[in-house]
């Protein structure tokens, strides 16, 4: 732990220098200057005492002491000017260092592979690292304090060594118990924090659920609050127990440290008294020694406390460093082969298993998405449709087999280029708590979010009607719970999601269940638009359970348990002579539900009306 301290300190120093080189230089120069003034001050006090305690008349002694007195006063002024400059610069430096640290880890985390984001260990690291950015901020202040105390201690130690060689080891003896106590507690606090961080995280999650807007209605109607509160208490109590244990350890440690330090202090002053008594030390020297011991002891206490603080913060900065290293290791690689702008996309024997899953979600899948065509993916829940598009878009890489964009495998391609070619409305597309403009514009955030382009995308997806109904149009905030925030319905969100995909304007448009929340008229319009786009040469991958709407697709792939069980045109799949029957059966089942909407045991509407009329 102590071995890595210099590395963490140098990380904090680098952060501070990067955040504001001028403020950093001001802190460094003023702290060194302050230390030097303290050392010179002690020497000046010594000569002041020698002059004052010398033989002769008081006026003569005072006159002789005047230059030393003036020097002590001047040094005090310089010292406090240095302290002011240093604290102002530290105040400027600290928040900037925190910002730089936060930006660094957020930037790295935003580029890691998806599987890292789903990994528990990586999540725990992210939790700790958030504290690390705060710690980096505090470490700047503590490092400054360490430099101050160290310089002041060196000054006091130097003076003590000159006065009598025995005084320095005694000073060190006084410092050892507090140093031991503080370092021990820092280690305990860190270990303890790591023990209960998961429980703190879980308690925080539950408390957020209890006040969550989306969950509010269900919490009340289903009376879920007592259940959630019970779990909150369990999590919170675990961390309480750990903190109680820590408090007892702290009490024991400080009792041992304080008693040992008390004994060492008695010994130090005893030795000083002995030296005076034996005549081995003059009164002026003893006076300076007392001053130097007091300065030295308080510098040691400060130093130990600050080193402990640095050490404690360094542990969290180490977590931040670990996260940055891990995020760099798990980052989506930059560089690779160029991906053609427009191309067929081909899956060759693609097998893929999610991390931690016991069986693959895709088994040796072969499929082709021809350029400019519409391909529909259909199949039961969990058959692997969304997984296909995650691999197609480069969000995931196959375990074996290849996903080829015009002959370039996604594993070897420049992934940023693969992402650039894709516009996607995923099933669970994100509802950004921003304005309607940003919710559409974020599809291609590098381009200007001007009215004309955003309105065009909105009109394409029928979202213009949604926007018109909002009090501030495109600039309405779509986040209830904030001032002026609006809530829109699931179907209206879906239109915003489609507008976002339109705005992205990728070579391949992926629409995963685009109409699940739409009313029949809106649904029809979306499918008409997808159909029109296909006519205009847009490559489209459509995932839907509404089998009637895939009639116009150029190619339909039917998935079951991660395998392609059938593919072909609608006509071929529906023809008993050419289709395997899987699609036809699903289609006919759905069609029957529409043609014959009566429930088992219930008469068909026509019969019921007929019977009613017959009776009357
Ligand atoms: N992130 C994940 N981690 C682990 N397993 C996953 C993950 N996402 C999906 N799966 C599993 O992979 C399989 C295929 O899921 P996928 O989402 O691709 O199915 P789908 O055909 O799109 O289903 P649906 O029609 O319900 O949307 C399922 O067994 C699912 O549980």
């Amino acid at each position: 732990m102590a071995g890595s301290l210099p590395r963490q300190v140098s990380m904090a120093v680098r952060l501070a220098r990067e955040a504001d080189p001028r403020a950093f230089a001001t802190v460094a120069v003023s702290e060194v200057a302050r230390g030097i003034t303290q050392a010179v001050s002690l020497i000046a006090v010594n000569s002041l005492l020698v002059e004052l305690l010398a033989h002769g008349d008081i006026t003569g002694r005072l006159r002789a002491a005047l230059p030393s007195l003036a020097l002590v006063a001047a040094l005090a002024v310089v010292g406090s000017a240095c302290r002011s400059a240093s604290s102002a610069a530290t105040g400027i430096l600290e928040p900037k260092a925190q910002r730089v640290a936060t930006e660094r880890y957020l930037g790295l985390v935003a580029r890691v592979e998806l599987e890292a984001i789903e990994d528990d260990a990586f999540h725990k690291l992210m939790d700790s690292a958030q504290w690390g950015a705060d710690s980096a901020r505090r470490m700047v202040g503590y490092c400054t304090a360490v430099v101050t105390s160290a310089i002041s201690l060196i000054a006091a130690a130097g003076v003590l060594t000159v006065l009598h060689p025995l005084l320095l080891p005694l000073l060190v003896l006084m410092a050892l118990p507090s140093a031991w106590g503080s370092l021990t507690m820092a280690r305990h606090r860190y270990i303890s924090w790591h023990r209960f961080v998961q429980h703190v995280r879980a308690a925080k999650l539950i408390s957020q659920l209890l006040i969550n807007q989306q969950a509010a209605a269900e919490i009340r109607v289903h009376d879920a609050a007592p259940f959630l509160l019970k779990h909150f208490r369990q999590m919170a109590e675990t961390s309480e127990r750990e903190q109680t244990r820590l408090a007892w350890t702290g009490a024991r440690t400080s009792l041992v440290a304080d008693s040992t330090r008390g004994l060492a202090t008695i010994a130090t002053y005893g030795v000083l008294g002995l030296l005076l008594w034996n005549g081995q030390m003059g009164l002026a020297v003893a006076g300076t020694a007392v001053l130097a011991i007091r300065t030295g002891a308080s510098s040691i206490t400060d130093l130990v406390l600050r080193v402990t603080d640095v050490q404690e913060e360094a542990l969290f900065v180490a977590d931040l460093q670990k996260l940055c290293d891990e995020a760099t290791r798990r980052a989506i690689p930059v560089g690779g082969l160029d991906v053609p702008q427009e191309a067929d996309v081909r899956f060759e024997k693609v097998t893929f298993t999610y991390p931690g899953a016991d069986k693959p979600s895709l088994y040796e899948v072969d499929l082709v998405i021809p350029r400019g065509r519409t391909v529909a993916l259909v199949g039961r829940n969990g058959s692997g449709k969304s997984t296909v598009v995650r691999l197609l878009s480069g969000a995931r890489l196959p375990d074996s087999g290849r996903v080829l964009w015009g002959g370039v495998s996604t594993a070897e391609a420049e992934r940023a280029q693969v992402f650039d070619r894709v516009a996607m409305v995923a099933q669970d597309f994100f509802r950004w708590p921003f304005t309607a403009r940003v919710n559409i514009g974020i599809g291609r955030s590098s381009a200007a979010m001007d009215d004309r382009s955003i309105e065009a995308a909105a009109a394409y997806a029928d979202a213009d009607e949604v926007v018109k109904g909002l009090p501030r149009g495109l600039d309405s905030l779509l986040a209830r719970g904030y001032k002026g925030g609006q809530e829109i319905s699931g179907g209206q969100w879906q239109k915003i999601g489609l507008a976002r995909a339109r705005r992205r304007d990728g070579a391949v448009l992926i629409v995963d269940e685009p109409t699940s929340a739409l009313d029949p008229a809106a649904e029809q319009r979306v499918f008409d638009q997808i159909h029109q786009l296909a006519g205009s040469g847009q490559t489209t991958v459509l995932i839907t359970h509404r089998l009637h709407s895939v009639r116009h697709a150029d190619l339909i792939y039917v998935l079951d348990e991660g395998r392609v069980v059938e593919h072909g045109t609608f006509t071929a799949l529906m023809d008993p002579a050419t289709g395997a029957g899987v699609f036809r059966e699903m289609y006919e089942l759905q069609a029957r539900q529409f043609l014959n909407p009566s429930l088992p045991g219930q008469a068909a509407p026509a019969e019921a009306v007929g019977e009613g009329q017959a009776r009357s």
Side-chain angles (χ1 to χ4, degrees), residues 226-364:
F227 172 83
L228 292 172
L229 276 169
K230 193 175 109 200
H231 282 274
F232 171 79
R233 171 173 284 213
Q234 277 170 0
M235 294 298 136
E237 279 178 351
T238 312
S239 81
E240 274 166 32
R241 272 195 297 279
E242 186 56 34
Q243 290 182 57
T244 309
R245 198 192 60 77
L246 186 66
W248 280 111
T249 311
R252 278 196 302 274
T253 310
S254 69
L255 197 66
V256 173
D258 287 352
S259 359
T260 324
R261 185 188 154 98
L263 291 175
T265 311
I266 294 170
T268 305
Y269 285 110
V271 168
L272 204 60
L274 220 63
L275 290 173
L276 253 178
W277 192 55
N278 281 345
Q280 286 176 284
M281 188 182 271
L283 201 58
V285 173
T288 313
V290 169
L291 268 179
I293 285 175
R294 283 177 65 103
T295 314
S298 98
S299 305
I300 285 182
T301 312
D302 277 357
L303 186 66
V304 169
L305 280 177
R306 295 306 158 217
V307 168
T308 313
D309 286 335
V310 168
Q311 170 103 31
E312 201 170 345
E313 303 299 348
L315 296 169
F316 292 102
V317 174
D319 286 341
L320 177 70
Q321 180 71 52
K322 221 188 289 172
L323 174 75
C324 292
D325 293 347
E326 191 62 8
T328 309
R329 192 180 69 76
R330 301 179 79 164
I332 295 174
V334 175
L337 301 177
D338 282 337
V339 180
Q341 275 293 345
E342 304 274 347
D344 293 356
V345 185
R346 185 180 293 276
F347 278 49
E348 281 181 359
K349 299 252 168 297
V350 170
T351 297
F352 175 77
T353 309
Y354 286 101
D358 51 7
K359 63 179 177 101
S361 291
L362 294 182
Y363 296 91
E364 305 204 331

Side-chain angles (χ1 to χ4, degrees), residues 268-595:
T268 305
Y269 285 110
V271 168
L272 204 60
L274 220 63
L275 290 173
L276 253 178
W277 192 55
N278 281 345
Q280 286 176 284
M281 188 182 271
L283 201 58
V285 173
T288 313
V290 169
L291 268 179
I293 285 175
R294 283 177 65 103
T295 314
S298 98
S299 305
I300 285 182
T301 312
D302 277 357
L303 186 66
V304 169
L305 280 177
R306 295 306 158 217
V307 168
T308 313
D309 286 335
V310 168
Q311 170 103 31
E312 201 170 345
E313 303 299 348
L315 296 169
F316 292 102
V317 174
D319 286 341
L320 177 70
Q321 180 71 52
K322 221 188 289 172
L323 174 75
C324 292
D325 293 347
E326 191 62 8
T328 309
R329 192 180 69 76
R330 301 179 79 164
I332 295 174
V334 175
L337 301 177
D338 282 337
V339 180
Q341 275 293 345
E342 304 274 347
D344 293 356
V345 185
R346 185 180 293 276
F347 278 49
E348 281 181 359
K349 299 252 168 297
V350 170
T351 297
F352 175 77
T353 309
Y354 286 101
D358 51 7
K359 63 179 177 101
S361 291
L362 294 182
Y363 296 91
E364 305 204 331
V365 167
D366 286 312
L367 57 83
V368 185
I369 297 153
R371 175 183 157 188
R373 300 298 170 89
T374 299
V375 173
L377 302 179
V378 300
R380 290 189 300 184
N381 290 126
S383 55
K385 304 179 295 294
S386 301
T387 308
V388 165
V389 299
R390 281 174 206 139
L391 280 127
L392 164 69
S393 62
R396 306 270 187 177
L397 295 177
D399 300 331
S400 63
R402 298 191 299 169
V403 176
L404 299 162
W405 280 70
V408 178
S409 148
T410 48
E412 290 162 359
E414 166 72 271
R415 294 270 285 291
Q417 289 186 19
V418 180
F419 299 147
D420 187 66
R421 308 286 182 268
V422 174
M424 179 153 73
V425 203
Q427 241 171 353
D428 51 357
F429 73 89
F430 198 69
R431 300 172 178 193
W432 297 100
F434 301 142
T435 59
R437 180 190 300 279
V438 173
N439 263 287
I440 297 172
I442 205 161
R444 200 161 283 278
S445 54
S446 52
M449 297 191 194
D450 57 289
D451 283 0
R452 207 178 52 80
S453 64
I454 301 286
E455 277 163 8
Y460 163 83
D462 253 0
D464 48 349
E465 291 300 321
V466 180
V467 172
K468 261 188 225 146
L470 293 169
R472 297 187 60 215
L474 279 175
D475 294 315
S476 307
L477 182 63
L478 300 184
R480 268 261 295 281
Y482 290 91
K483 192 163 177 258
Q486 301 292 314
E487 186 53 284
I488 56 174
S489 75
Q492 288 171 325
W493 265 116
Q494 214 157 34
K495 290 176 184 180
I496 297 277
L498 275 170
R500 188 187 300 164
R502 175 63 179 168
R503 151 88 175 185
R504 175 118 187 115
D505 193 21
V508 175
L509 171 68
I510 300 172
V511 270
D512 190 347
E513 282 300 334
T515 61
S516 56
L518 297 185
D519 60 56
E523 178 181 348
Q524 189 53 51
R525 194 165 139 64
V526 166
F527 283 122
D528 287 350
Q529 272 163 333
I530 291 171
H531 186 48
Q532 262 173 33
L533 273 176
S536 70
Q538 165 80 60
T539 312
T540 307
V541 177
L542 170 65
I543 297 181
T544 182
H545 290 288
R546 320 237 164 155
L547 300 184
H548 185 67
S549 50
V550 302
R551 279 167 309 138
H552 301 296
D554 298 291
L555 207 48
I556 300 168
Y557 282 90
V558 185
L559 284 118
D560 193 34
E561 298 199 353
R563 296 175 196 275
V564 172
V565 288
E566 197 178 15
H567 74 279
T569 61
F570 180 79
T571 320
L573 295 182
M574 289 302 285
D575 185 344
T578 46
V582 185
F583 180 81
R584 193 176 63 250
E585 268 175 35
M586 288 195 300
Y587 186 88
E588 285 171 358
L589 180 70
Q590 227 171 48
R592 272 200 299 278
Q593 287 168 359
F594 280 103
L595 290 173

